[in-house]
Amino acid sequence: MKDPGNIGMPLKYRSLSSLPQTLVGAGLIVVIAVGLGVVTAKGGIVAGLLILIAMIGIPVVYGMIAYPIFGISCIMIMAFMLFFIFRLGVAFPLGTVLDGMQGLLLLGFFIQQRSKPNWKIFQGPVATIILIWIGYNILEVINPWAESRLAWVYTVRTIAILTLMYFVFVYQINSIKSIRILLKLWLILAFIATVYAYKQELIGIAASELAGMESDPLAVSLMFIDGHWRKYSIFSDPVEFSYNMVISAVLCISLVSGPLANWKKTVLVIFTFLMLNAMLFSGTRGAYVLVPAALILFAILHFSRRIMLFSTIAAFVIIVMIYIPTGNPSLVRFQSAFRPSEDASYSVRKNNQKRIQPYILTHPMGGGLGATGMWGVRFAPYSFLASFPPDSGYVRVAVEMGWIGLFIFCCLMFIVLKSGIENFYLIRNPELKMYCLAMTMVLFTLHIGNFPQEALVQYPNNILFYLAIAIIQVTYKLDRKISLQEETES
């Protein structure tokens, strides 16, 4: 059999035979370079940049549709880096780009469903409650108490597409290798955020970012506390940053308990300490209580002598941190999180929640999606809810979607956590068991964190929330598949 192409040729002839191809390639590069130069000279730098974006964007669009794990990775990277790019001065509506990327994943999902249909992903209690949640959000358009339909349009667009990502994740993440890739990417991005937070704390916040905050009196009042700027790393605000550090640290702790090489466990332990220390830079008291809460669940689910020893040591360290005398502003704020009765801001939030309770009880569907916060101020500035600060994910749901919406959302949280705990005990494969535990821990942490703050409204934590729910279902599905193969082979 002859060698294909020129593989079997002597080197000197092989070089001569490939010369025309080399010349064509070089000529093509020259033509592209000259073309870019001419277009930039004629149309300005914007035109040149648009061509470059098209050259990069078209392959990326194709890749997101044809290679779903690549697409999910792109969305994760964009979700993490979104606000950092904003602060670089990019005026392009990157939020819309992220919506478009999710739309591409949905398109790829429906295309593959035609060739490889799998409607079982829409069955089961988790899928059912998520579909009910989506349906109720859509039904809010007829809410008789809503002050603005436009606020609903802007809000439901994000919620509906984002929630549908669960089904994309469950369908497209179909191997242990895919889970490994996505969790490694998660930790890499979280570590980048950690490093940037240390830069802000030890070197200083960039002059352009600092100027932007100082120009807004409200931002100064929220971000500058006790002579110290709260850090937010690459995220939208300190709350989002601190919560991401906590769930990423919880992910590391869960993975350490699994069947990994010792050097990997060492890296994860280092990541854990760096992330939890960086969390203190945020000054977000709501995040501080999440760590001991997560460790309690971890000790219960992964009960053993070694875990109980670790939990006891961790509890001792936390108790020491709570009561040790200190002048460090970050540690003082950490200690105040465990003494809510002494916290003035906690009292304000408690009074606000008490004040809004009659409204929630008399409005079963709430005041409509987007009634509070940015969209409420924009579309219904004179309404009662536009000026109401929810300061809690559950309070926001209750105010905007009523006690009916709050009941559905609480059912959603209960069912996904119940599913995670049940799957953890049912899964036999040690690696898949580790991933299921990690995602259950992440969901539990976000569930607790959604009470003192809004944990699920901003990127990237909202994406990671549905990714965690999906991985819990995928791990069980893969474990059943592996068990069936082993039984067949035996």
Side-chain angles (χ1 to χ4, degrees), residues 301-302 419-427 433 436-437 440:
L301 293 181
H302 213 284
S419 174
I421 294 170
E422 288 179 343
N423 289 357
F424 172 71
Y425 286 116
L426 290 172
I427 292 172
K433 195 180 192 74
C436 182
L437 171 66
T440 304

Side-chain angles (χ1 to χ4, degrees), residues 31 43-44 51 58 66 116 162 164 204 217 234 262 274 322 346 376 455 479:
V31 170
I51 292 179
I58 292 174
K116 298 178 182 178
L162 189 64
L164 285 172
I234 60 176
N262 288 332
L274 289 174
I322 292 172
Y346 178 80
D479 184 72

Side-chain angles (χ1 to χ4, degrees), residues 198 246 272-281 284-285 287-292 295 312-339:
Y198 276 94
V246 173
T272 301
F273 282 107
L274 289 174
M275 289 171 182
L276 292 180
N277 188 51
M279 173 198 67
L280 297 175
F281 304 158
T284 305
R285 279 176 290 225
Y288 303 155
V289 298
L290 301 183
V291 180
L295 289 177
T312 303
I313 295 172
F316 176 76
V317 171
I318 291 172
I319 291 171
V320 169
M321 290 179 66
I322 292 172
Y323 291 101
I324 189 172
T326 180
N328 183 291
S330 296
L331 192 52
V332 169
R333 195 165 174 83
F334 172 84
Q335 293 174 342
S336 68
F338 296 88
R339 302 165 187 164

Side-chain angles (χ1 to χ4, degrees), residues 151-370:
W152 174 88
V153 171
Y154 277 80
T155 307
V156 79
R157 180 199 67 183
T158 304
I159 293 175
I161 295 177
L162 189 64
T163 309
L164 285 172
M165 285 295 101
Y166 162 79
F167 298 103
V168 176
F169 296 153
V170 170
Y171 179 80
Q172 304 290 19
I173 304 173
N174 50 24
S175 68
I176 297 179
K177 182 181 177 182
S178 299
I179 299 175
R180 290 182 194 142
I181 291 171
L182 296 176
L183 294 187
K184 285 178 182 177
L185 179 61
W186 178 342
L187 290 177
I188 290 170
L189 292 170
F191 181 68
I192 292 172
T194 304
V195 172
Y196 195 75
Y198 276 94
K199 177 264 175 190
Q200 289 182 327
E201 179 71 13
L202 302 177
I203 301 175
I205 300 174
S208 58
E209 297 178 16
L210 200 57
M213 289 189 295
E214 290 177 338
S215 64
D216 184 359
L218 179 60
V220 173
S221 66
L222 294 175
M223 302 284 285
F224 193 72
I225 298 176
D226 298 329
H228 187 259
W229 284 103
R230 299 172 64 188
K231 306 307 183 295
Y232 49 83
S233 186
I234 60 176
F235 300 100
S236 60
D237 54 74
V239 173
E240 192 71 13
F241 163 59
S242 63
Y243 276 30
N244 188 268
M245 290 295 97
V246 173
I247 63 174
S248 299
V250 165
L251 172 59
C252 291
I253 293 170
S254 303
L255 295 179
V256 167
S257 67
L260 297 178
N262 288 332
W263 71 268
K264 291 183 179 179
K265 292 187 177 183
T266 302
V267 172
L268 290 170
V269 169
I270 294 171
F271 275 23
T272 301
F273 282 107
L274 289 174
M275 289 171 182
L276 292 180
N277 188 51
M279 173 198 67
L280 297 175
F281 304 158
S282 71
T284 305
R285 279 176 290 225
Y288 303 155
V289 298
L290 301 183
V291 180
L295 289 177
I296 291 172
L297 179 66
F298 181 74
I300 293 172
L301 293 181
H302 213 284
F303 186 81
S304 67
R305 183 177 300 176
R306 182 166 57 91
I307 295 301
M308 289 306 297
L309 177 62
F310 166 77
S311 301
T312 303
I313 295 172
F316 176 76
V317 171
I318 291 172
I319 291 171
V320 169
M321 290 179 66
I322 292 172
Y323 291 101
I324 189 172
T326 180
N328 183 291
S330 296
L331 192 52
V332 169
R333 195 165 174 83
F334 172 84
Q335 293 174 342
S336 68
F338 296 88
R339 302 165 187 164
S341 60
E342 302 174 11
D343 181 17
S345 63
Y346 178 80
S347 299
V348 171
R349 293 182 185 189
K350 190 175 180 180
N351 291 333
N352 282 336
Q353 292 173 13
K354 195 72 177 175
R355 178 169 59 92
I356 203 66
Q357 282 180 5
Y359 181 90
I360 296 171
L361 293 173
T362 55
H363 295 74
M365 293 185 69
L369 284 179

